[in-house]
């Protein structure tokens, strides 16, 4: 009996998953992870967008925000990095909110490509022409994301942009701005995304004006965010589509599982399976060094640390979120039998 009680009090650790019996302390979990990984130096800043190579690789910030708006942080939660691919989640959410879950599934698809985020082979390798079969793409890899951006409605580029940045502002709960140096740097070096944009028009995913879609996509990737902004965006998804601090409803609760499912399948690109195996959490990375993860009904978490692994995911952010999630027993697949 005594042994049993102490095992429960300590939390049951099964295969790396802590099934804590006592309410775990989020601030302690955040602090422990910060101290554990603050000296980790693995990975390398992205440099195919020249401005990203100049970002301080030592930047390290953690923010966790619960569905009732409590905020727990460690490290640098003020310095902004470019949101990069994490933006794809919120443009997808915008399109789903306005046009429904079907719109994304039928036009872009919701399947993992198993390829790198900017793969052109992935475009060629799947059933390519819209209308000739279910598209096996998703809105979180570049071809699907540029196509999703093209689906945001508006009379002209300015009107579409207002909608995109307005959505991000609402999720973050404050007004965000574009990091102009990153926008310029990526605009000058994004020939690959331009090729993808042209291809997506050729195959019918984009209906018109692919240069506008690529430009707005590039701009959305250059929006500046800190760890707290990203955690708030993730917490909004964790809270069923309602920003836990402003109370604004941004996504119908019935549409949230679709968004989280695509994050679970494709959020960390070709490493998404590995990530899900260890955490069970829908997540999304960006080459600016941020990762968000969503513990549905519990919290959103974000970590910023620029050095990346070969798949384009922040090394330290992956380790940090995994440690915190395990400490808090947040894996939704982990259930202690009754
Ligand atoms: O289009 C690009 O290549 C970048 N703006 C975004 C890529 C990205 O963040 C992939 N992330 N892991």
């Amino acid at each position: 009996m005594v042994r049993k009680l102490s095992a429960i009090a300590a939390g049951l650790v099964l295969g790396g998953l802590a099934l804590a019996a006592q309410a775990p302390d989020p601030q302690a979990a955040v602090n422990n992870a910060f101290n554990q990984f603050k000296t980790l130096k693995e990975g390398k800043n992205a440099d195919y967008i020249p401005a990203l190579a100049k970002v301080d690789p030592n930047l390290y910030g953690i923010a966790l925000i619960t569905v009732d708006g409590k905020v727990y942080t460690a490290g640098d939660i003020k310095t902004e990095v470019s949101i990069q691919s994490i933006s794809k989640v919120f443009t997808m959410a915008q399109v789903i909110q306005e046009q429904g879950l079907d719109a994304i599934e039928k036009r872009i698809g919701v399947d993992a490509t198993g390829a790198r985020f900017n793969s052109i082979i992935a475009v060629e390798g799947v059933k390519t022409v819209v209308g000739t079969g279910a598209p096996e793409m998703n809105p979180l890899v570049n071809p699907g994301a540029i196509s999703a951006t093209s689906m945001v409605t508006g009379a002209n580029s300015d009107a579409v942009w207002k909608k995109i940045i307005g959505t991000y502002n609402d999720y973050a709960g404050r007004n965000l701005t574009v990091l102009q140096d990153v926008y310029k740097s990526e605009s000058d070096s994004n020939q690959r995304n331009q090729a993808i944009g042209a291809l997506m028009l050729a195959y019918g995913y984009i209906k018109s004006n692919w240069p506008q879609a690529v430009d707005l996509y590039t701009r959305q990737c250059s929006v500046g965010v800190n760890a707290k902004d990203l955690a708030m965006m993730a917490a909004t998804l964790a809270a069923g589509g309602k920003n836990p601090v402003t109370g604004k409803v941004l996504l119908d609760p019935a549409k949230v599982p679709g968004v989280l499912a695509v994050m679970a399948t494709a959020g960390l690109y070709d490493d998404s399976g590995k990530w899900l195996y260890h955490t069970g959490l829908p997540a999304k990375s960006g080459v600016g060094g941020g990762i968000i993860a969503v513990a549905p009904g519990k919290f959103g978490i974000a970590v910023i640390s620029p050095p990346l692994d070969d798949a384009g995911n922040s090394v330290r952010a992956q380790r940090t979120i995994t440690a915190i999630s395990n400490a808090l027993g947040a894996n939704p697949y982990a259930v202690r039998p009754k």
Side-chain angles (χ1 to χ4, degrees), residues 34 49 78:
F34 183 80
I49 300 169
K78 292 226 167 95

Side-chain angles (χ1 to χ4, degrees), residues 16-324:
L17 299 174
L19 300 177
Q22 291 177 334
D25 172 8
Q27 189 58 58
V30 166
N31 291 345
N32 289 344
F34 183 80
N35 289 328
Q36 188 179 350
F37 298 115
K38 68 184 174 199
T39 55
L40 185 79
K41 296 272 184 236
E42 285 169 45
K44 189 170 163 295
N45 281 28
D47 57 8
Y48 73 98
I49 300 169
L52 300 186
K54 297 191 197 132
V55 176
D56 178 5
N58 298 314
L59 174 62
Y60 184 35
I62 310 175
L64 183 154
I65 302 182
T66 63
V67 294
D68 48 7
K70 293 198 187 75
V71 181
Y72 304 93
T73 67
D76 184 339
I77 56 146
K78 292 226 167 95
T79 302
E80 293 180 359
V81 295
S82 51
I83 187 169
Q84 295 298 341
S85 284
I86 300 170
S87 69
K88 295 166 176 171
V89 172
F90 302 94
T91 298
M92 162 176 62
Q94 208 281 337
V95 173
I96 286 177
Q97 179 62 359
E98 241 184 45
Q99 302 172 38
L101 286 158
D102 262 14
I104 286 287
E105 187 176 6
K106 297 222 165 93
R107 171 87 75 88
I108 297 171
V110 291
D111 271 320
T113 64
R116 280 188 64 78
F117 60 85
N118 57 1
S119 170
I120 288 174
I121 290 175
V123 179
E124 292 293 321
V126 298
K127 297 180 194 93
T128 38
V129 180
V130 170
T132 59
E136 293 179 8
M137 182 55 67
N138 68 73
L140 299 184
V141 287
N142 290 12
I146 294 167
S147 305
T149 301
S150 81
M151 292 172 73
V152 178
T153 55
N156 51 37
S157 175
D158 275 358
V160 176
W161 175 249
K162 275 206 185 96
K163 217 185 237 183
I164 291 172
I165 192 70
T167 298
Y168 297 2
N169 290 344
D170 281 346
Y171 274 91
R174 76 173 181 109
N175 286 344
L176 303 171
T177 53
V178 170
L179 302 177
Q180 291 298 335
D181 60 324
V182 177
Y183 177 44
K184 178 165 185 341
S185 180
E186 185 163 349
S187 298
D188 289 345
S189 58
N190 70 350
Q191 289 75 23
R192 193 183 177 94
N193 282 340
Q194 293 181 45
I196 288 173
L199 266 183
M200 296 313 266
L201 178 86
Y203 291 135
Y205 291 80
I206 295 179
K207 296 298 175 197
S208 70
N209 204 347
W210 66 260
Q212 176 177 304
V214 173
D215 175 53
L216 290 174
Y217 162 82
T218 308
R219 216 184 298 174
Q220 77 178 42
C221 287
S222 308
V223 168
V225 282
N226 59 38
K228 194 175 160 208
D229 297 325
L230 288 176
M232 194 71 80
M233 296 171 98
T236 301
L237 294 173
K242 179 172 155 182
N243 183 306
V245 171
T246 66
K248 200 160 175 180
V249 175
L250 303 169
L251 189 58
D252 301 338
K255 292 172 176 161
V256 174
V259 172
L260 296 182
V262 184
M263 291 171 72
T265 330
L268 268 68
Y269 305 110
D270 35 330
D271 274 354
S272 297
K274 211 186 292 172
W275 168 262
L276 203 61
Y277 195 81
H278 287 284
T279 65
L281 299 182
K284 184 74 205 82
S285 63
V287 288
I291 298 186
I292 61 169
V294 177
K298 294 181 174 153
F299 60 80
I301 182 168
V303 175
I304 291 178
S305 171
L308 312 178
D309 64 15
D310 288 344
N313 302 316
S314 164
V315 175
R316 191 152 56 170
Q318 289 177 78
R319 302 250 183 101
T320 304
I321 295 173
T322 304
I324 294 171

